[in-house]
Amino acid sequence: MVSLKDRLTEILIKNKLLTQEQLKQAIEEQKKKGGTLSEAIINLKFIREQDLMTVLSEGLNFPPIDLKRFKVDSEVVNIIPYEVARRYRILAISRIGEVLTLAMADPLNIFAIDHVASLTGYKINPIIANSQDIMAVIESVYPDTTKEIINDLMRQIDSSAIELVRQEISEEATTQTVSIDDAPAVKVTDWILEEAVNKKASDILIEPFEKKVRVRYRIDGILQEAQNPPRYMHDSIVSRIKVMSLLDIAEHRLPQDGRFKAKVSGKEVDFRVSILPSSFGEKVAIRILDKSQAMLDIDRLGFNEHLVEQLKKLVILPHGMILVSGPTGSGKTTTLYSLLKYVDSPQKNIVTVEDPVEYQLEGINQVAVRTEVGLTFGSALRAILRQDPNVIMIGEIRDFETVDIAIKSALTGHLVLSTVHTTSACGSIVRLINMGVEPFLIDAAVICVLGQRLVRRICQYCKEEQKVSMQILNSLKVKMPDGMKPTFYKGKGCQRCFNLGYSGRLSIGELLILTPAIRELILKRAQEHIIKQQARKEGMRTLREDGIRAALAGLTSLEEVVRITAADD
């Protein structure tokens, strides 16, 4: 699939409007500051915005529109929901018969076009417009429902809907609670928490800006903007969250971390809170740990059956190290918990050291790191080794001290499970070497490395077949047996999935088992791509390949696989 970035660079270089050196500089600027490549080119003043629009329009054969001089029809704009318009940076500007004209920052985004077509039932006519202009019009044209939402909350939400669960409350915290307990901010805060739990969000972000407060929920790994409370309520909302977390409400200059438990809609939920001072106030990030949603079962995480069977055989070995790799939010800790539950028995002494403890596991000894009193991963591990453990789980390997003790533990008769932040399973080996671990120790201690990601699961209530061109299939190297036609699916969007087309997530993975050939490459300090080539020869299915497998099975969409996984070399 040809991206806008590829076509943009091709057009500008071909028309000699940009040199290779300027292109390289613009890409670096984009990586550093974010945004699109076209925005970076304009910011660096390599080309005027109007000239860029003209060139893009001619090169892509899409007519341009200047939204600054165009009067939009609010009735037409509202054909597309606010959340969809923001996500894809699109704006409905005209409707003639069955044709809906869309102003798009990226008119080559076929997934956006398909989503809007299935959502509205119209044929889509894309035209090109400046991304910033589109976002400005979106924010100015869509109705502001904040006041209505707040009024509804005041009428409908019972402040006892969120029942705080406390074991110990200091006198100071009790006093603080009474002082703000009758404020409207209490009901708004409770509504934000309840709404997030009901939508099965994993995180809540409350972000202050100059003229507004933005509330976002991370649902199935994607941030979705919620209804925003008035700007004047921000400080009261933050104070309410601080009181619930037993934090210092008078401290506004330093970051603070805390947690609290509450009963939401009749179920007990853990909330982990992080407060960070920013330019316009304190930003709040809340991690939601809903025990009722936790699937700590290795068979139910979504991995393919062959990978699960291999993992089960490896995790019952008496000693060695098993690593799980991936970025933040890829489900690594859940996988480790599931493996622990699989091997747990009265005959085994299992101890974990985590920062923080996310889920309490019955029958397993869990230690929370507390760096402020000197309880680090390293010091905790040294103490744990004197507790005669059979299995040790380390929440994350961050430094040489931790990995050194972990590997020595694996070499002295313990099974060690841990995570490492790398983008691939093969990259974890190189990462360990870069941390200072000798290759012969990796060879002797490590059993396997599981690289994993979470992809969104297609909503089963609005699932429909998706047509994918051969050009896209060839670029993704989708191969099928002779005579078989690949079939992919997508979610149309319905009330059950909040018109997202997805509901829930599943795991995809690549399992690097340290075979004799792989161990030999490690001893030679081979590069990541060399190890990956050998692993694929021996049958390892990469993240991209496992993602396509899940898409062909109708579990996720091809768009989601492309978004989450990197192409194989």
Side-chain angles (χ1 to χ4, degrees):
M1 180 173 58
V2 181
S3 69
L4 180 65
K5 180 179 176 180
D6 294 335
R7 290 290 288 123
L8 173 62
T9 55
E10 179 187 331
I11 292 166
L12 292 176
I13 296 294
K14 183 179 178 181
N15 288 275
K16 298 181 180 179
L17 294 170
L18 205 67
T19 66
Q20 289 288 354
E21 185 60 35
Q22 287 175 325
L23 174 61
K24 185 178 178 182
Q25 191 177 340
I27 292 173
E28 288 298 320
E29 178 79 3
Q30 182 196 13
K31 289 179 180 177
K32 191 184 301 181
K33 296 186 177 179
T36 64
L37 182 60
S38 57
E39 288 170 352
I41 293 171
I42 293 168
N43 291 337
L44 290 169
K45 298 182 179 178
F46 291 150
I47 185 173
R48 290 192 309 153
E49 183 178 355
Q50 193 56 45
D51 294 338
L52 180 64
M53 289 287 296
T54 303
V55 171
L56 272 178
S57 174
E58 292 174 357
L60 299 175
N61 292 321
F62 288 110
I65 184 171
D66 185 355
L67 291 176
K68 293 176 182 176
R69 301 180 180 180
F70 185 84
K71 186 176 181 180
V72 296
D73 184 343
S74 58
E75 185 179 339
V76 174
V77 167
N78 282 288
I79 292 175
I80 299 175
Y82 173 74
E83 294 80 7
V84 176
R86 277 188 58 89
R87 189 193 323 164
Y88 294 120
R89 297 196 173 202
I90 58 178
L91 189 73
I93 61 171
S94 171
R95 178 186 59 189
I96 301 175
E98 295 183 356
V99 178
L100 183 67
T101 299
L102 286 187
M104 305 182 66
D106 180 1
L108 297 179
N109 189 340
I110 61 171
F111 296 114
I113 293 172
D114 285 350
H115 188 175
V116 175
S118 62
L119 194 65
T120 63
Y122 291 108
K123 294 178 182 178
I124 304 303
N125 174 40
I127 61 176
I128 192 167
N130 178 270
S131 174
Q132 292 181 346
D133 290 348
I134 291 175
M135 295 307 293
V137 175
I138 287 174
E139 295 300 335
S140 64
V141 172
Y142 279 90
D144 182 9
T145 57
T146 298
K147 292 181 180 178
E148 295 175 15
I149 290 293
I150 298 301
N151 290 335
D152 286 344
L153 288 174
M154 296 304 102
R155 289 193 300 267
Q156 299 174 13
I157 298 295
D158 180 5
S159 61
S160 63
I162 305 293
E163 181 186 343
L164 210 56
V165 180
R166 294 197 192 278
Q167 286 76 33
E168 298 178 5
I169 307 179
S170 66
E171 287 185 15
E172 181 184 359
T174 306
T175 304
Q176 292 173 352
T177 304
V178 172
S179 66
I180 69 163
D181 217 22
D182 294 327
V186 172
K187 292 186 177 181
V188 175
T189 307
D190 288 357
W191 174 78
I192 290 172
L193 297 176
E194 187 175 21
E195 185 80 354
V197 171
N198 291 339
K199 288 187 174 182
K200 301 179 182 178
S202 60
D203 298 89
I204 305 170
L205 296 181
I206 302 173
E207 303 161 303
F209 296 99
E210 186 177 7
K211 296 181 180 178
K212 70 172 186 176
V213 177
R214 181 171 68 180
V215 177
R216 292 189 290 173
Y217 303 142
R218 189 177 293 280
I219 302 172
D220 296 334
I222 302 294
L223 283 171
Q224 307 286 341
E225 190 160 345
Q227 296 294 346
N228 299 322
R231 180 67 178 85
Y232 70 85
M233 295 188 72
H234 171 260
D235 291 345
S236 299
I237 292 172
V238 174
S239 294
R240 165 67 172 165
I241 292 169
K242 284 183 177 180
V243 168
M244 296 170 81
S245 309
L246 298 181
L247 299 177
D248 184 358
I249 64 171
E251 179 58 71
H252 304 290
R253 301 165 299 170
L254 298 173
Q256 296 189 70
D257 295 315
R259 63 190 307 159
F260 64 92
K261 290 183 180 180
K263 282 188 177 179
V264 184
S265 301
K267 55 187 177 183
E268 192 172 296
V269 181
D270 285 342
F271 296 90
R272 200 168 73 218
V273 177
S274 173
I275 296 179
L276 179 71
S278 68
S279 301
F280 298 106
E282 291 174 291
K283 175 186 175 184
V284 181
I286 304 175
R287 170 64 58 89
I288 302 172
L289 303 171
D290 187 350
K291 295 177 182 178
S292 67
Q293 297 296 326
M295 291 192 304
L296 303 181
D297 184 344
I298 193 65
D299 291 306
R300 298 176 58 200
L301 296 182
F303 290 116
N304 69 76
E305 292 181 6
H306 179 63
L307 186 148
V308 171
E309 290 305 314
Q310 287 180 306
L311 269 180
K312 286 181 176 178
K313 291 176 183 177
L314 296 172
V315 78
I316 60 174
L317 294 176
H319 57 81
M321 177 183 280
I322 294 176
L323 293 174
V324 181
S325 73
T328 301
S330 59
K332 302 186 297 297
T333 303
T334 302
T335 299
L336 288 187
Y337 280 149
S338 301
L339 290 174
L340 285 182
K341 287 202 71 174
Y342 180 75
V343 300
D344 184 28
S345 71
Q347 290 75 38
K348 289 185 178 179
N349 178 14
I350 301 176
V351 186
T352 77
V353 53
E354 307 168 60
D355 182 22
V357 174
E358 293 199 8
Y359 293 103
Q360 296 289 344
L361 301 178
E362 186 69 29
I364 293 176
N365 306 285
Q366 295 172 271
V367 178
V369 167
R370 296 181 61 191
T371 53
E372 69 274 10
V373 296
L375 184 60
T376 63
F377 276 107
S379 60
L381 280 172
R382 291 189 187 92
I384 287 170
L385 289 174
R386 295 192 288 271
Q387 295 283 320
D388 188 32
N390 299 103
V391 182
I392 302 171
M393 188 195 99
I394 305 168
E396 181 186 346
I397 289 178
R398 299 176 178 175
D399 50 43
F400 176 75
E401 181 190 20
T402 306
V403 72
D404 184 52
I405 299 172
I407 285 183
K408 287 175 181 175
S409 302
L411 292 174
T412 54
H414 305 89
L415 180 66
V416 179
L417 309 179
S418 189
T419 70
V420 61
H421 279 263
T422 55
T423 56
S424 67
C426 300
S428 300
I429 302 298
V430 178
R431 169 71 175 144
L432 292 179
I433 294 174
N434 289 340
M435 290 174 71
V437 182
E438 291 294 336
F440 71 87
L441 290 175
I442 298 174
D443 170 37
V446 179
I447 301 170
C448 68
V449 184
L450 171 66
Q452 75 171 76
R453 297 289 189 279
L454 292 176
V455 295
R456 290 181 291 174
R457 192 186 293 268
I458 296 174
C459 174
Q460 297 303 304
Y461 295 96
C462 59
K463 180 178 175 181
E464 63 181 18
E465 191 172 331
Q466 180 183 25
K467 293 181 181 179
V468 181
S469 69
M470 287 305 300
Q471 182 183 359
I472 294 176
L473 294 178
N474 291 335
S475 67
L476 296 176
K477 299 178 182 178
V478 177
K479 296 179 180 178
M480 299 291 292
D482 292 339
M484 288 189 65
K485 182 182 177 182
T487 304
F488 295 97
Y489 298 88
K490 65 176 181 179
K492 183 178 180 180
C494 64
Q495 190 174 0
R496 291 175 182 264
C497 63
F498 307 103
N499 288 319
L500 298 175
Y502 298 95
S503 180
R505 290 191 287 179
L506 61 98
S507 301
I508 58 173
E510 55 183 18
L511 184 62
L512 173 67
I513 299 175
L514 271 62
T515 61
I518 298 294
R519 294 180 188 278
E520 188 176 337
L521 289 174
I522 292 172
L523 291 173
K524 293 179 180 178
R525 295 177 180 264
Q527 295 180 0
E528 179 182 345
H529 71 277
I530 302 295
I531 298 175
K532 185 176 181 179
Q533 286 175 3
Q534 181 60 38
R536 294 182 73 181
K537 286 180 183 177
E538 297 183 7
M540 183 187 83
R541 179 185 280 165
T542 66
L543 284 166
R544 172 60 63 87
E545 290 169 339
D546 196 40
I548 292 174
R549 181 270 317 168
L552 285 168
L555 301 174
T556 188
S557 68
L558 201 57
E559 175 190 10
E560 185 70 0
V561 174
V562 173
R563 183 182 71 85
I564 289 293
T565 63
D568 296 319
D569 296 332

